[in-house]
């Protein structure tokens, strides 16, 4: 490798075909923005310096770029006068930052190619340097070259020029080898050539691709390396293309995890974001989305029909038909079906969050269980405790949120309401239907449901002629007959 590598990422264009108030390169795909994928690939090269050219919506795009690459230099291109103009502005911005790209290699990439991989850039830069070329083109051979710059070669196969669609002759339009847009330059050549690029062409733009002709005229070497995997250099210009690339990106991610030992029953309905991490022997069942920075440990089984965003799932855990966000599930724990884990849920080892249970900001201890139909918000539940079916942790008094603490090995009964702030001690219990408003000491049983009264004969007296009264009459007749024998 040469001593210095400068990468310039072009991202000033508006992307009008997205028909969006969100700038094209910020549209999400595979859990990152489009440009986020490009910056990840670029970052993997450990370049000497990176410059990103921003224009449209630079108030959003600029800071977003700096989140991925804090050391990147941002160059502002007020008007999009062409790729040649954009690169000139980038070189000026670098020089102004005392980071001039004055030797080594300068690599040009676009912000809208989300499938681009670092190793492809690395390979391309190495080929360029080995060829000692002034300019190298990452080309591609495609079925439908329309819209791309065509690679014009002579009879020996040497590259003569890149001709843009609008400037191409009928014969040149038949050429299927296209410019992907990714170019590599000798830094010294680029610094000098970029000043000589004009805008005398069909679009009246400064074409970066005109540097090829300039290099040839100076008798310098120009090379083009066709990339096998053209999808890596494809951009998404509208939402249909974004969805196509999204499906392809997902297919690649899912395939990679299967190769690494993850069982995926139905790749077509499984969506895994780029930053998700899975251990070997994880099983993913159909209809599952693993999003954001979700991490799943070995032998866990996720799905079917589960969405987990930024969650951490322990070894051997089982998560069925669940929606989870910023939740932690311990080793061997079980969740679902139909559970809703909201941020701050932490389920201990071998714990259980069961059917129709919603949890938020709740720490549920080792082996503790919330099996059925409950809301657990702002709570601490000790190890080995069992929460009865249909329990509501009433955390909100209409103004403020309060916490409930339930100790270790407590047994609370069905249909309870815990009115926070309240504490239920270790080994304590409650009766069915209890509304716990005061603390329950360790080992105590809290009961506050009134005495039951039975008004005998009520149905026949108050609901005469109904099926209810009829059933009651039949039951008492049967009981009398029983008593008589
Ligand atoms: C460009 C290439 C073409 C190539 C194609 C690949 C030129 C002249 N043409 O054409 O050979 O086949 O890409 O997709 O280079 N941009 C700026 N500032 C500008 C102009 C563009 O930042 O002033 C950015 C855009 O945001 C975009 C990229 O550069 O990310 C390419 O620009 P675009 O206008 O799409 O170039 P094409 O006409 O497609
Ligand atoms: Ca384009």
């Amino acid at each position: 490798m040469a001593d210095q590598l400068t990468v310039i990422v072009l991202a000033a264009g508006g992307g009008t075909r997205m028909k969006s108030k969100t700038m094209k390169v910020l549209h999400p795909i595979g859990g990152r923005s489009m440009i986020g994928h490009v910056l990840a690939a670029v970052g993997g090269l450990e370049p000497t310096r990176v410059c990103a050219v921003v224009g449209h919506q630079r108030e959003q795009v600029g800071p977003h770029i700096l989140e991925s690459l804090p050391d990147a230099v941002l160059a502002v291109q007020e008007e999009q006068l062409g790729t040649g103009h954009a690169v000139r502005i980038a070189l000026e911005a670098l020089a102004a930052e005392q980071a001039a790209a004055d030797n080594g290699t300068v690599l040009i990439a676009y912000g809208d190619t989300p499938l681009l991989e670092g190793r492809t850039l690395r390979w391309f830069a190495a080929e360029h340097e080995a060829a000692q070329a002034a300019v190298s083109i990452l080309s591609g051979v495609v079925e439908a070259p329309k819209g791309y710059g065509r690679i014009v070669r002579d009879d020996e196969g040497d590259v003569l020029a890149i001709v843009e669609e609008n400037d191409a002759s009928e014969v040149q339009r038949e050429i299927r080898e296209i410019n992907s847009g990714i170019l590599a330059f000798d830094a010294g050549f680029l610094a000098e050539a970029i000043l000589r690029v004009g805008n005398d062409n069909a679009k009246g733009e400064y074409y970066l691709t005109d540097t090829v002709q300039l290099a040839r005229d100076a008798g310098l070497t120009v090379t083009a390396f066709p990339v096998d995997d053209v999808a890596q250099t494809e951009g998404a210009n509208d939402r249909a293309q974004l969805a196509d690339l999204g499906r392809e990106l997902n297919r690649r991610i899912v395939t990679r995890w299967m190769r690494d030992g993850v069982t995926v029953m139905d790749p077509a309905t499984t969506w895994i974001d780029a930053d998700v991490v899975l251990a070997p022997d994880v099983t993913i069942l159909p209809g599952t989305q693993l999003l954001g920075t979700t991490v799943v440990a070995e032998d866990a089984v996720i799905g079917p029909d589960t969405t987990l965003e930024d969650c951490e799932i322990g070894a051997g855990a089982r998560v069925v038909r669940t929606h989870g966000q910023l939740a932690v599930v311990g080793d061997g724990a079980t969740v679902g079906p139909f559970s809703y884990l909201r941020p701050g849920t932490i389920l201990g080892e071998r714990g259980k969050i069961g059917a129709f249970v919603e949890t938020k900001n709740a720490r549920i201890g080792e082996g503790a269980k919330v099996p059925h139909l409950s809301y657990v918000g702002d709570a601490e539940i000790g190890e080995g405790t069992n929460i009865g079916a249909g329990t509501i942790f009433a955390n909100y008094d209409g103004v403020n949120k309060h916490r409930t603490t339930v100790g270790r090995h407590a047994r609370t009964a069905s249909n309870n309401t815990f009115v926070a702030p309240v504490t239920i001690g270790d080994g304590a219990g409650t009766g069915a239907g209890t509304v716990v408003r005061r603390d329950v000491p360790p080992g105590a049983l809290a009961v506050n449901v009134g005495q039951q009264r039975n008004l005998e004969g009520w149905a026949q007296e108050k609901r005469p002629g109904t099926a209810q009264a009829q059933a009651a009459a039949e039951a008492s007749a049967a009981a009398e007959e029983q008593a008589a024998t």
Side-chain angles (χ1 to χ4, degrees), residues 24 110 112 237:
K24 174 163 84 169
Y110 296 166
D112 67 347
N237 293 308

Side-chain angles (χ1 to χ4, degrees), residues 1-5 48 103-106 125-126 128-130 185-186:
M1 290 289 275
D3 40 356
Q4 291 200 6
L5 177 64
T48 317
N103 75 68
T105 296
V106 181
H128 162 75
E129 283 159 17
F185 289 93
D186 171 74

Side-chain angles (χ1 to χ4, degrees), residues 460 467-481:
Q460 283 130 298
Q468 181 186 7
Q470 178 71 23
E474 284 165 14
S476 50
E480 269 166 38
E481 201 169 304

Side-chain angles (χ1 to χ4, degrees), residues 197-421:
V197 168
N199 64 351
D200 181 17
N201 52 53
K203 277 170 118 184
E205 286 186 359
Y206 295 87
Y207 290 164
L208 179 59
T209 46
D210 283 357
T211 52
V212 170
Q213 187 81 59
L214 294 174
R216 288 292 310 205
D217 291 349
L220 300 170
T221 306
V222 176
T223 55
F225 302 100
V227 64
D228 290 334
D229 183 14
V230 287
Q232 283 195 40
T233 63
E234 271 172 27
N237 293 308
D238 61 28
R239 312 236 190 179
Q241 288 173 350
L242 183 65
D244 285 345
L245 285 184
R247 195 173 342 95
E248 176 58 20
L249 177 59
N250 187 60
R251 195 188 64 74
R252 292 172 181 219
I253 293 171
V254 172
T255 302
R256 176 164 61 82
W257 286 118
M258 291 192 291
R259 297 242 157 82
D260 283 352
V262 172
T263 295
V264 178
M265 189 184 273
D266 183 15
T269 63
T270 299
W271 292 82
I272 303 176
D273 277 353
D275 295 315
V276 167
V277 178
L278 307 175
D281 287 319
V282 162
T283 296
I284 303 174
L285 299 177
T288 293
Q289 295 162 281
L290 301 178
L291 308 178
T293 56
T294 293
V295 176
V296 184
E298 63 179 359
D299 299 323
V301 181
I302 313 292
D305 301 328
T306 291
T307 301
L308 300 176
E309 187 177 355
D310 302 327
C311 289
E312 191 183 320
I313 309 299
R318 184 79 183 84
V319 182
V320 186
R321 290 186 207 281
T322 289
H323 190 95
Q325 204 188 356
L326 282 165
V328 178
V329 172
D331 293 353
T334 62
V335 177
F338 311 109
S339 304
Y340 181 21
L341 312 182
R342 292 168 52 199
T345 296
I346 302 173
L347 177 61
E349 274 179 43
R350 285 168 286 100
K352 179 184 173 93
I353 292 174
F356 305 105
V357 173
E358 174 181 344
T359 59
K360 183 213 72 172
N361 208 357
R363 184 184 289 271
I364 300 170
E366 218 175 288
K369 297 189 164 90
V370 186
H372 324 279
L373 299 157
S374 294
Y375 172 64
V376 183
D378 300 309
E380 176 91 33
I381 298 174
E383 66 171 285
T385 284
N386 191 87
I387 303 296
T391 295
I392 303 300
F393 285 62
N395 57 333
Y396 186 45
D397 62 13
V399 182
N400 295 306
K401 300 276 170 76
H402 303 280
R403 287 189 75 77
T404 296
T405 303
V406 183
R408 303 164 53 236
H409 298 288
R411 292 283 176 275
T412 70
S414 300
N415 195 28
N416 278 199
T417 303
F418 302 152
V419 183

Side-chain angles (χ1 to χ4, degrees), residues 147-171:
Y148 288 101
R150 311 297 206 281
I151 310 296
V152 181
R153 295 180 186 256
D154 65 15
D155 294 342
E156 270 81 61
D158 290 336
V159 177
L160 295 177
I162 300 174
V163 179
E164 293 304 306
E165 172 85 25
N166 291 325
D167 302 289
S169 66
E170 283 299 308
V171 176

